[in-house]
Amino acid sequence: VSSPFFPPNSSWDAAYERELQTFQDIGDTGEIWFGEESMVRIIRWLEKHKVPLDSSVLDIGTGNGVLLVELAKSGYMNLTGIDYSPSAIQLSEKVRDKEGMSNIKLKVEDFLTPSAELSGFDICIDKGTFDAISLDPSDAAGKRQLYVASLGRVLKPEGFFLITSCNWTKEELLNEFREGFEILEELPTPKFCFGGRIGNSVTALVFQRK
């Protein structure tokens, strides 16, 4: 499977190194996966459901950290971002420091083998990381199982998981996360029309851990 959104895994670090250099040169944070409307959708859902501002939030595969900055601007105080790419974490640290958001915690972590201190989160957010894992040419199915197991470890019972995907339909995601999670709602995403049929180019779902 190939996707216009994601480079092969081997080039993630190189991509973030380029964005890091660009940020240092001109202050541009680089690509926002899925565009700004996806961040607005997430923040709107949290606000609509009156999720407390001191809830612990984990951004899985934080990239440039822009989502965490927007959450901080919306008043959320307990924010953590992880990425397995050291260049991504360097970039997100620079973005965080430029915005003066010192309360955002950032760390290099592989979500498939999370460290012990990565646990007890009220909310986990994924914009494209599950997609990227799904495109891994070496044992993608096994990596997806590891992902679901990791999510069960880091997210509190009854915690919320917000996932945005451009590779998976709602039905496929329901199947992937059937062990230990239940769907709360599907969030509205832009529609596209192809061959007379209306479809979604992006799927955004909210799950709750059982």
Side-chain angles (χ1 to χ4, degrees):
V1 188
S2 65
S3 162
F5 282 88
F6 300 108
N9 268 11
S10 59
S11 62
W12 276 114
D13 234 18
Y16 281 120
E17 275 170 28
R18 281 196 304 277
E19 292 199 352
L20 185 58
Q21 192 58 52
T22 304
F23 182 77
Q24 285 167 329
D25 291 348
I26 61 169
D28 178 21
T29 56
E31 193 63 48
I32 299 174
W33 300 119
F34 301 106
E36 290 187 28
E37 91 277 349
S38 65
M39 295 196 296
V40 171
R41 191 185 306 127
I42 289 163
I43 292 168
R44 215 177 259 151
W45 187 88
L46 295 172
E47 289 174 344
K48 178 180 150 195
H49 291 270
K50 297 184 168 54
V51 172
L53 295 176
D54 61 353
S55 300
S56 54
V57 179
L58 177 66
D59 186 18
I60 301 165
T62 196
N64 55 20
V66 170
L67 172 61
L68 292 173
V69 168
E70 292 304 316
L71 284 165
K73 286 178 180 176
S74 299
Y76 289 90
M77 299 171 277
N78 191 350
L79 301 169
T80 301
I82 60 167
D83 205 293
Y84 88 102
S85 162
S87 297
I89 292 299
Q90 267 187 286
L91 175 60
S92 52
E93 284 171 346
K94 288 184 182 298
V95 172
R96 172 194 67 187
D97 296 345
K98 181 192 174 197
E99 296 284 350
M101 301 295 185
S102 56
N103 58 333
I104 296 174
K105 296 186 283 290
L106 296 162
K107 50 177 79 169
V108 178
E109 284 258 11
D110 180 354
F111 189 67
L112 300 185
T113 55
S115 61
E117 67 258 28
L118 212 64
S119 66
F121 286 93
D122 298 306
I123 294 146
C124 289
I125 300 172
D126 181 321
K127 286 194 320 76
T129 298
F130 187 72
D131 284 357
I133 287 166
S134 306
L135 295 171
D136 194 314
S138 59
D139 191 22
K143 288 190 165 84
R144 292 200 302 272
Q145 286 181 322
L146 279 175
Y147 181 104
V148 175
S150 294
L151 185 63
R153 285 202 300 279
V154 305
L155 186 61
K156 283 179 183 170
E158 299 189 4
F160 301 119
F161 172 54
L162 288 77
I163 181 169
T164 305
S165 169
C166 68
N167 280 72
W168 299 93
T169 65
K170 176 184 176 181
E171 289 68 30
E172 288 168 333
L173 288 171
L174 289 179
N175 185 51
E176 291 290 330
F177 292 94
R178 65 189 182 279
E179 297 290 323
F181 300 90
E182 58 189 356
I183 179 82
L184 282 186
E185 64 182 288
E186 180 174 12
L187 303 182
T189 59
K191 302 276 192 291
F192 70 95
C193 186
F194 184 76
R197 294 181 62 185
I198 301 286
N200 276 39
S201 53
V202 174
T203 302
L205 303 179
V206 181
F207 288 92
Q208 188 165 29
R209 194 185 147 201
K210 293 176 185 171

